Amino acid sequence: MPTRILPAVGDADAVRAVTTLLSQLPDAEPVAPVTDSTQLVDTLARLAAESVDELPEVVIVHERIGPVPALELIREVALRFPAVGVVLVTSDASPGLFQAAMDYGARGLVTLPLGYEELAVRVQAVAAWSAGVRRHLGGALEVFTGVGGTVVTVSGAKGGVGTTLTAIQLALATQASGRPTALLDMDLQTGDIASCLDVQFRRSVVDLAAITDITPRVLADAVFRHDTGLALLLAPGDGERGEEVTDRAARQIVGALRSRYEVVVVDCGAQLSGAGAAAVEMADTALLVTTPDVVAVRGAKRAVRMWDRLQIRKAEETTVVVNRHTRGTEIQPSLIQRITGTGIAGTVVPANFKELQAAVDAGRLHELDARSTVKQALWTLAGELGLVKATAVDRRAGRSAVGFRRRKEIGG
């Protein structure tokens, strides 16, 4: 049986060199190369969704792949597709890098410039390992090799637009529908999910920042289990400690949560940090919350342009949610969509702070009345985004998830 090999190489010259050598390997079946980290993960996820058997046995990752660094990319592939063997191609043959590559989940390392013999030996060894893992797991392979949970980030066009409220209610709606859900507070300096859900906590996301291998037990020790069933990973009580959560740490933390929960909702706040940027980049769905006023919409436009310049996320891959909407306002969702160039959520959240005030003041947003039009809109938004189970009925919300709007195409 031929060995399927997927090269992930960003440099054009390197692509030609790698594909030429791979085509010469015995029993090799090179797959069309991908040129960046996002394309690699998306390709593997698509293949896994069709069938686990469609996944390649070997992935070749070049050291200059981007935008996610090579080692971080290897970790994500190893976590999400553990029966796929990864080979790192690098010009650094030092023992330190070799050890780091192994720690991050690589099954082999090939040095530049590429040589036929070294590449052939390494690919054959990794392919044999991959085949052995698949034979050993057999029918259980489906359990271990899934594409991981869905990650939804919620960012604010500016402070005070309702980012945390949106993240909390989306997470609550998802959990209530029967899907295990984690809520991560990545607003590292000013995050207040704990205050909004009446939580006293000892551990926070900072406790995971320096850990290179986040095991399920380590993750469970850091997560707070809320009365609603939500798994909470909270921002530090001392805001200055937020600097300890680097973009690398954020990728590991989000990846660990994704491997344990069906849905991960991340509150990124309104200030872009390296950790928040990493979360937005990894997200399956990136929401940007704004209110229908000039200042907030300008903030949304700035955020979208900055994400694009930093290669975090393209405008068309971002969905804007309009909060505090009224029919009489001059700035309607269609205008916001034209200004930002993003998609726009079909569900708008009405302006009705009186409904929220008691729950906000008590710090118990999870007890928001089911008759609240704000809550109903946000739970409907969860349905539009495909976060809730279509057949679930949540009596606490006073409505059936079947009644949620069908998910619209972005921009619809």
Side-chain angles (χ1 to χ4, degrees):
M1 181 177 178
T3 299
R4 291 161 298 180
I5 308 169
L6 173 58
V9 186
D11 181 80
D13 293 335
V15 168
R16 286 191 291 271
V18 171
T19 53
T20 298
L21 281 177
L22 291 178
S23 65
Q24 298 172 7
L25 298 182
D27 298 323
E29 184 181 306
V31 181
V34 295
T35 57
D36 61 47
S37 56
T38 302
Q39 191 179 359
L40 172 61
V41 174
D42 288 349
T43 299
L44 293 175
R46 176 177 52 79
L47 292 172
E50 294 175 5
S51 169
V52 172
D53 294 333
E54 295 298 316
L55 287 168
E57 286 76 21
V58 181
V59 168
I60 306 288
V61 174
H62 193 276
E63 64 179 355
R64 290 198 297 272
I65 196 72
V68 176
L71 290 179
E72 301 295 341
L73 178 60
I74 289 170
R75 179 186 290 277
E76 184 169 1
V77 172
L79 282 171
R80 296 178 63 180
F81 314 98
V84 175
V86 184
V87 176
L88 174 64
V89 176
T90 176
S91 57
D92 183 358
S94 67
L97 179 66
F98 181 84
Q99 184 61 53
M102 298 304 105
D103 290 343
Y104 275 74
R107 301 302 309 177
L109 186 146
V110 177
T111 56
L112 292 168
L114 289 175
Y116 174 84
E117 292 296 334
E118 184 184 11
L119 183 62
V121 168
R122 188 51 48 209
V123 166
Q124 289 170 3
V126 173
W129 171 86
S130 177
V133 169
R134 299 181 191 206
R135 282 195 305 270
H136 177 71
L137 293 178
L141 184 61
E142 194 83 36
V143 176
F144 295 96
T145 313
V147 299
T150 299
V151 176
V152 179
T153 55
V154 186
S155 305
K158 69 178 190 65
V161 296
T163 307
T164 298
L165 170 68
T166 301
I168 288 174
Q169 291 300 324
L170 289 179
L172 288 171
T174 306
Q175 178 70 32
S177 78
R179 303 184 72 185
T181 304
L183 177 57
L184 169 61
D185 196 343
M186 201 62 87
D187 187 359
L188 297 171
Q189 292 187 340
T190 58
D192 52 10
I193 285 178
S195 299
C196 292
L197 294 178
D198 193 23
V199 169
Q200 301 295 323
F201 65 100
R202 292 184 302 107
R203 298 190 181 276
S204 73
V205 65
V206 171
D207 293 296
L208 299 178
I211 299 176
T212 56
D213 185 16
I214 303 176
T215 64
R217 182 170 182 175
V218 169
L219 182 64
D221 287 342
V223 165
F224 181 92
R225 181 67 62 176
H226 193 258
D227 293 342
T228 58
L230 279 179
L232 304 179
L233 188 51
L234 301 165
D238 301 322
E240 66 273 14
R241 295 200 64 194
E243 296 180 358
E244 298 175 32
V245 185
T246 63
D247 56 343
R248 181 191 64 80
R251 293 184 201 281
Q252 290 184 204
I253 292 165
V254 173
L257 288 170
R258 169 181 255 160
S259 70
R260 301 291 295 175
Y261 298 92
E262 283 192 37
V263 178
V264 181
V265 179
V266 186
D267 180 357
C268 294
Q271 299 296 322
L272 184 68
S273 63
V280 172
E281 186 179 43
M282 293 177 69
D284 299 287
T285 301
L287 303 179
L288 183 61
V289 182
T290 187
T291 48
D293 59 83
V294 172
V295 174
V297 173
R298 283 177 177 169
K301 184 177 180 179
R302 281 196 304 270
V304 169
R305 288 184 171 180
M306 180 170 58
W307 290 1
D308 186 59
R309 288 195 305 272
L310 297 177
Q311 297 184 346
I312 296 170
R313 203 168 193 91
K314 296 179 181 177
E316 58 268 25
E317 297 173 347
T318 302
T319 302
V320 167
V321 176
V322 181
N323 187 25
R324 299 179 199 145
H325 174 266
T326 61
R327 292 188 179 183
T329 184
E330 294 184 9
I331 302 178
Q332 291 295 317
S334 57
L335 176 59
I336 296 173
Q337 182 178 19
R338 288 198 300 272
I339 291 172
T340 60
T342 63
I344 197 84
T347 305
V348 295
V349 184
N352 201 335
F353 183 73
K354 288 184 178 180
E355 295 179 352
L356 302 174
Q357 189 165 4
V360 170
D361 291 345
R364 301 184 67 82
L365 278 178
H366 53 292
E367 295 181 353
L368 189 59
D369 195 315
R371 293 170 297 180
S372 163
T373 58
V374 174
K375 177 175 180 175
Q376 289 179 5
L378 288 169
W379 285 44
T380 299
L381 175 63
E384 179 184 336
L385 297 172
L387 300 181
V388 300
K389 288 185 176 179
T391 58
V393 176
D394 180 54
R395 289 187 173 87
R396 283 170 293 176
R399 62 190 298 159
S400 167
V402 175
F404 288 151
R405 297 183 187 178
R406 293 182 179 274
R407 183 178 181 180
K408 299 182 179 181
E409 293 296 325
I410 290 179

